[in-house]
């Protein structure tokens, strides 16, 4: 629920990565050639001495087996894809040609490496015979590199020599994120000189981290994989691709990867299978309090001209009743409760209805840490519950099915399941319900699928990782590139607001101001890029975090409205009776502009993203085969007839663009 949905809103863990000297050892081997695998590949992989040449789309990648350095030769020159491994792998064994590529070992570390071409990529897989770690690839060290892209929330493209992003104020240098939870997609990439770039995908994201390093005023990154038999992370794969240097090229590569491996969901298919999901197209999102949860509040929204909404409500003691739900569905809105399967508390002292479970779910289902103690829940309240414990019990006890049934007894046709898709996965050391992170993820996918496919609920979750894209219709949170500094700001209840009054908690309704550095890191459009939309726009409807409602940050309202229209993504609100009166017309005006654009393009791919000015203040997106073209001017000066602070959208067939200047609409 919004008062506790920030279950995933906590500072990411940062691990210190020790510096390890790189040892370079020369190992002689005979030169040979081998056939390459995969469609449309150059037909040969060459092994010569300690080097392995792999044909990739756009050139040839060469792996130096003595150090794991990777260089590429292209028609436009050379590009370093990885510096030598930051963890000395030891002397390599003899390189052996295989039917698909090449294989060699590092006996000292117990590692076996295979390198082969696959669909134009260099695919490197490292398998470990014992528990160890490897800090590789080391990326962005080539002096021709100009910007690094990574999917923090929607996505960022950061100039590697930018003074702000190399400073402590940005909170980026020295930080390390877990690829399975700290980023919305397991990828990063770089733009280099001469129309070149590189994309890195890590499908083995569990057990993998990405560390940002500032050295000599330039950023670079190092990926580290932790090989563990018990955690089932003894295999590590990285796919490296040459790109055209576009800031969204890594996301294009990832979308292709998902499609090639049958892991890309389709919003069109989800609508075909559950027609209620069509009501997401053109909808804004809101959590309701007080009057906004009642029939009168719903009718007030419709009277304002709001054609589509997703209405959510806290799972407390005053949920939306059946009359309000009927009014919402009659208006063409989706309506659904907040729920969470993640937290358990003692029923006698619980502060959240969603944390109360029957029988001995609490404490018997608590995730158990390695030291035998329960994994504390959000803000140290109760414990996190094991998805494996639920899966083992569900066939006989139906805890989750019974919970869901009671939640939608009022007629709700949607459901927001907090945390499940957010990526904070657990290893459970309990002897009764042991679980790896991979099993936790599989369990979550299975139970979300039961909600979306089995119960035909239009399902959403928190800050959805890409791995959940096939089972979700929408998410709240992956649109926000959250910097860790946000959590400290939210803990300042005097300025941010707390959880009172109950019918309009200040934490959601009180306007707040972000510190300048935090606002720059999260909302400066010069650094924002639509990585998530490029990969997943036609699969999942993506929005910002619920506690950052549109009215929560007055200084960012115009920028956020422009970003929403440019990315073809909905805005998020919180509403009660007074805010409906105060800001209802603003919401209605924005939704009226957004609705036809999203109805036309919400199920289409984002096929293009471009900067139209050197300062990145004017940007353009295209959806489908020209279905929708949007141009946003985040600057103060007119560009090609588009005033600063305005957006033009043109649907195929329009005689003229549709213009929105948020300053004329927002309060």
């Amino acid at each position: 629920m919004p008062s506790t949905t920030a279950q995933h809103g906590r500072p990411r863990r940062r691990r210190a990565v020790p510096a390890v000297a790189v040892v370079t050892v020369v190992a002689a081997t005979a030169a040979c050639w081998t056939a390459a695998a995969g469609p449309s590949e150059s037909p040969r992989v060459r092994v010569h001495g300690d080097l392995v040449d792999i044909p990739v789309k756009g050139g040839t990648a060469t792996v130096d087996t003595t150090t794991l350095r990777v260089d590429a030769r292209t028609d436009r020159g050379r590009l370093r894809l990885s510096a030598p491994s930051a963890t000395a792998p030891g002397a390599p064994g003899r390189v052996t040609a295989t039917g698909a590529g090449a294989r060699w070992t590092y006996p000292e570390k117990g590692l076996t490496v295979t390198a082969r071409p696959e669909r134009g990529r260099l695919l490197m897989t490292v398998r470990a015979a014992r528990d160890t770690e490897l800090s590789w690839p080391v990326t962005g060290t080539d002096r021709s590199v100009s910007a690094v892209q990574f999917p923090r929330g929607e996505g960022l493209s950061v100039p590697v020599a930018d003074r702000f992003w190399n400073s402590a104020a940005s909170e980026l240098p020295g930080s390390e994120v877990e690829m399975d939870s700290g980023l919305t997609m397991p990828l990063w990439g770089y733009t280099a000189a001469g129309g070149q770039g590189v994309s890195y995908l890590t499908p083995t994201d569990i057990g993998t981290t990405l560390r940002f390093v500032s050295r000599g005023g330039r950023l670079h990154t190092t990926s580290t994989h932790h090989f563990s038999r018990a955690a089932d992370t003894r295999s590590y794969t990285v796919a490296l691709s040459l790109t055209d240097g576009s800031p969204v090229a890594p996301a294009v590569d990832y979308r292709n990867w998902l499609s090639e491996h049958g892991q890309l969901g389709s919003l069109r298919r989800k609508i075909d299978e559950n027609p209620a999901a069509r009501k997401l197209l053109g909808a804004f999102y809101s959590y309701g309090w007080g009057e906004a949860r009642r029939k009168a509040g719903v009718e007030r929204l419709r009277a304002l001209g709001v054609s589509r909404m997703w209405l959510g409500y806290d799972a407390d003691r005053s949920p939306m009743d059946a009359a309000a739900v009927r009014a919402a569905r009659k208006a063409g809105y989706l309506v659904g409760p907040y729920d969470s399967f993640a937290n358990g508390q003692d029923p006698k002292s619980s502060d959240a209805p969603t944390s109360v479970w029957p029988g001995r779910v609490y404490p018997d289902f608590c995730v158990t840490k390695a030291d035998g103690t329960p994994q504390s829940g959000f803000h140290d309240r109760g414990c996190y519950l094991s998805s494996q414990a639920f899966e083992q019990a569900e066939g006989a006890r139906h805890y989750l099915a019974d919970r869901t049934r009671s939640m939608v007894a009022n007629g709700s046709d949607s459901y927001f399941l907090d945390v499940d898709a957010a990526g904070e996965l657990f290893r459970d050391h309990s002897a009764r319900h042991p679980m790896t992170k991979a099993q936790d993820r599989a369990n979550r996918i299975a139970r979300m699928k039961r909600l979306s496919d089995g119960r035909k609920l239009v399902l959403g979750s928190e800050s959805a990782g890409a791995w959940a894209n096939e089972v979700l219709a929408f998410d709240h949170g992956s649109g926000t590139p959250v910097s860790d500094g946000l959590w400290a700001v939210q803990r300042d209840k005097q300025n941010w607001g707390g959880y009172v009054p109950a019918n309009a908690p200040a934490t959601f309704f009180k306007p707040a101001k972000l510190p300048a550095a935090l606002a720059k890191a999260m909302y400066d459009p010069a650094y924002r890029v639509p990585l998530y939309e490029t990969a997943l726009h036609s699969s999942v409807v993506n929005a910002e975090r619920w506690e950052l409602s549109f009215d929560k940050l007055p200084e960012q309202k115009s920028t956020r409205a422009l970003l929403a229209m440019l990315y073809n993504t909905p805005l998020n609100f919180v509403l009660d009776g007074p805010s409906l009166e105060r800001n209802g017309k603003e919401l209605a005006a924005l939704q009226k502009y957004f609705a036809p654009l999203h109805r036309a393009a919400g199920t289409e791919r984002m096929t293009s993203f471009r900067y139209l000015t050197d300062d990145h203040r004017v940007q353009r997106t295209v959806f489908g085969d020209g279905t929708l073209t949007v141009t946003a001017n985040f600057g103060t000066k007119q560009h090609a007839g588009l005033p600063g602070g305005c957006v033009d959208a043109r649907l195929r067939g329009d005689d003229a663009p549709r213009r929105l200047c948020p300053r004329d609409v927002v309060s």
Side-chain angles (χ1 to χ4, degrees):
M1 56 191 174
S3 56
T4 57
T5 44
Q7 302 236 15
H8 205 55
R10 58 175 62 193
R12 304 292 183 194
R13 288 176 287 173
R14 297 180 176 181
R15 300 177 63 256
V17 177
V20 181
V22 175
V23 179
T24 301
V25 181
V26 176
T29 186
C32 58
W33 293 86
T34 182
S40 69
E41 300 289 358
S42 175
R44 305 182 76 81
V45 170
R46 183 178 182 230
V47 177
H48 52 111
D50 300 314
L51 305 179
V52 180
D53 292 341
I54 307 287
V56 295
K57 184 177 181 180
T60 300
T62 299
V63 182
D64 182 344
T65 63
T66 64
T67 65
L68 284 176
R69 188 187 73 234
V70 185
D71 293 308
R73 301 189 307 277
T74 75
D75 292 341
R76 300 189 178 189
R78 292 179 176 270
L79 185 63
R80 177 144 295 174
L81 307 188
S82 175
S85 172
T87 305
R94 184 178 182 273
V95 184
T96 303
T98 68
R103 180 187 296 115
W104 64 96
T105 63
Y106 296 103
E108 183 180 321
K109 295 282 287 185
L111 302 176
T112 299
V113 181
T114 59
R116 63 184 177 90
E118 183 183 272
R119 297 181 183 268
R121 304 180 185 91
L122 164 59
L123 198 68
M124 298 275 288
T125 296
V126 185
R127 292 183 172 84
R130 56 181 180 270
D131 291 0
T132 186
E133 69 176 39
L134 179 69
S135 293
W136 177 89
V138 180
T139 58
T141 61
D142 192 297
R143 297 300 295 183
S144 72
V145 162
S146 60
V148 57
Q149 294 89 34
F150 52 100
R152 177 189 283 179
E154 179 61 66
L156 296 170
S157 180
V158 173
V160 296
D162 188 283
R163 292 182 63 183
F164 169 73
W165 288 101
N166 279 275
S167 73
S170 73
E171 300 186 287
L172 189 62
S175 66
E176 185 172 52
V177 293
E178 297 181 12
M179 295 294 290
D180 62 1
S181 58
L183 300 176
T184 54
M185 299 179 287
L187 64 85
W188 71 101
Y190 286 90
T191 297
Q196 296 190 106
V198 58
S199 163
Y200 304 88
L201 311 180
T202 55
T204 50
D205 56 337
I206 296 175
T208 305
T209 60
L210 186 68
R211 185 173 180 83
F212 295 86
V213 179
S214 176
R215 182 171 300 148
R218 290 175 60 87
L219 290 165
H220 73 268
T221 49
T222 299
S223 177
T224 298
H225 187 76
H226 308 274
F227 299 90
S228 167
R229 182 188 61 80
D232 194 22
T233 59
R234 285 276 186 89
S235 182
Y236 174 42
T237 295
V238 183
L240 303 85
S241 301
L242 297 175
T243 73
D244 62 2
S246 161
V248 296
V252 173
D253 188 26
Y254 184 56
R255 180 188 174 87
N256 291 337
W257 173 279
L258 290 174
S259 180
E260 293 158 8
H261 291 81
Q263 298 169 358
L264 182 63
S266 165
L267 191 56
R268 283 197 183 102
R269 178 187 57 75
K270 294 167 188 176
I271 290 171
D272 287 343
E273 294 176 353
N274 182 6
R278 185 175 298 279
K279 292 189 283 186
L280 288 173
L281 299 179
F284 278 177
Y285 295 78
S286 172
Y287 278 97
W289 271 267
E291 183 187 337
R293 293 188 184 183
R294 305 294 169 240
K295 178 182 178 183
V298 174
E299 292 175 340
R300 170 66 176 149
L301 269 176
R302 194 66 190 91
L304 286 167
V306 177
S307 61
R308 291 281 175 89
M309 286 291 291
W310 179 90
L311 300 178
Y313 56 91
D314 205 353
D316 56 18
R317 293 170 179 80
S318 56
M320 290 185 77
D321 60 24
V325 171
R326 284 195 299 271
R329 297 183 66 165
K330 181 180 179 181
Y333 302 165
L334 284 165
V335 59
Y338 159 90
D339 196 6
S340 174
F341 298 163
N343 191 256
Q345 298 182 43
D346 186 335
K348 297 178 182 177
S349 57
S350 174
D351 60 0
T354 55
S355 296
V356 176
W357 296 88
R360 288 188 55 84
V361 168
Y362 178 86
D364 289 359
F365 284 22
C366 291
V367 170
T368 302
K369 297 188 293 186
D371 64 5
T373 62
Q375 177 71 54
S376 295
F378 177 66
H379 282 179
D380 295 324
R381 295 152 50 246
C383 71
Y384 278 106
L385 298 175
S386 170
S387 65
Q388 182 66 21
F390 274 121
E391 287 299 299
Q392 291 175 186
E394 191 65 11
R397 303 304 299 271
H398 316 300
Y399 292 121
L400 302 183
D402 290 348
R403 164 71 74 85
T404 303
R405 189 178 301 109
S406 67
M407 285 284 195
V408 299
N410 60 0
S412 292
D413 53 1
S414 185
Y415 214 78
F416 183 83
L417 187 62
D418 194 23
V419 179
D420 258 34
E424 190 175 19
L425 306 171
F426 294 100
R427 178 158 172 224
D428 191 348
H429 295 264
S430 166
R432 289 182 292 180
H433 37 81
M435 174 180 72
T436 65
K437 283 188 172 185
Q439 289 171 317
D440 191 11
R441 177 181 285 179
N443 292 339
R444 294 174 189 226
I445 290 174
R447 68 193 191 187
M448 286 191 287
K449 189 173 179 64
R450 290 197 293 268
L451 291 174
S452 60
D453 293 359
R455 296 196 63 91
K456 297 300 181 185
L457 293 167
V458 181
L459 182 64
S461 189
E462 173 191 5
S463 300
W467 53 267
N469 85 89
E470 294 182 89
V471 294
L472 293 180
F474 68 94
D475 97 274
H476 296 163
S478 289
T480 309
V482 173
S483 179
D484 279 353
L486 179 64
W487 315 132
V489 171
Q490 291 184 352
R491 285 193 292 268
D492 181 357
K493 299 305 180 186
Q494 181 175 350
N495 294 313
W496 189 263
Y499 292 104
V500 292
N503 62 342
T507 189
F508 302 112
F509 286 89
K510 181 181 179 178
K513 181 176 181 178
L514 296 176
L518 183 59
K520 185 179 183 73
M522 291 178 59
Y523 288 113
D524 189 330
Y527 304 121
R528 294 282 299 260
V529 289
L531 297 177
Y532 198 91
E533 299 315 310
T534 296
L536 297 172
H537 185 269
S538 62
S539 179
V540 178
V541 180
N542 184 28
E544 284 212 64
R545 294 181 65 85
W546 50 91
E547 84 272 26
L548 298 179
S549 66
F550 186 63
D551 297 311
K552 182 67 179 180
L553 305 173
E555 292 185 0
Q556 280 73 44
K557 289 180 80 169
S558 288
T559 294
R560 295 171 79 190
L562 292 177
L563 285 167
M565 304 311 160
L566 181 68
Y567 295 172
N568 199 231
T569 54
L571 292 168
N572 231 336
F573 293 80
V574 290
L575 295 174
D576 65 347
S579 65
L580 262 174
E581 292 299 318
R582 184 174 60 251
N583 299 323
K585 291 182 179 179
E586 168 188 283
L587 184 160
L590 292 168
Q591 194 270 337
K592 182 178 180 180
Y593 181 84
F594 174 76
L597 309 181
H598 197 240
R599 285 200 303 268
T603 60
E604 299 280 355
R605 293 178 55 182
M606 179 184 280
T607 48
S608 176
F609 170 79
R610 295 171 53 205
Y611 301 123
L612 301 187
T613 57
D614 291 341
D615 64 2
H616 297 181
R617 295 294 165 181
V618 185
Q619 304 174 13
R620 176 171 291 162
T621 54
V622 179
F623 298 85
D625 185 18
T627 300
L628 172 66
T629 301
V630 187
T631 306
N633 186 346
F634 295 97
T636 57
K637 298 179 181 178
Q638 186 181 96
H639 175 82
L642 178 61
C646 298
V647 59
D648 274 352
R650 187 187 291 267
L651 290 170
R652 181 189 286 119
D654 280 353
D655 294 328
R658 307 166 186 226
R659 179 164 295 173
L660 173 70
C661 298
R663 61 174 173 266
D664 298 333
V665 175
V666 302
S667 57

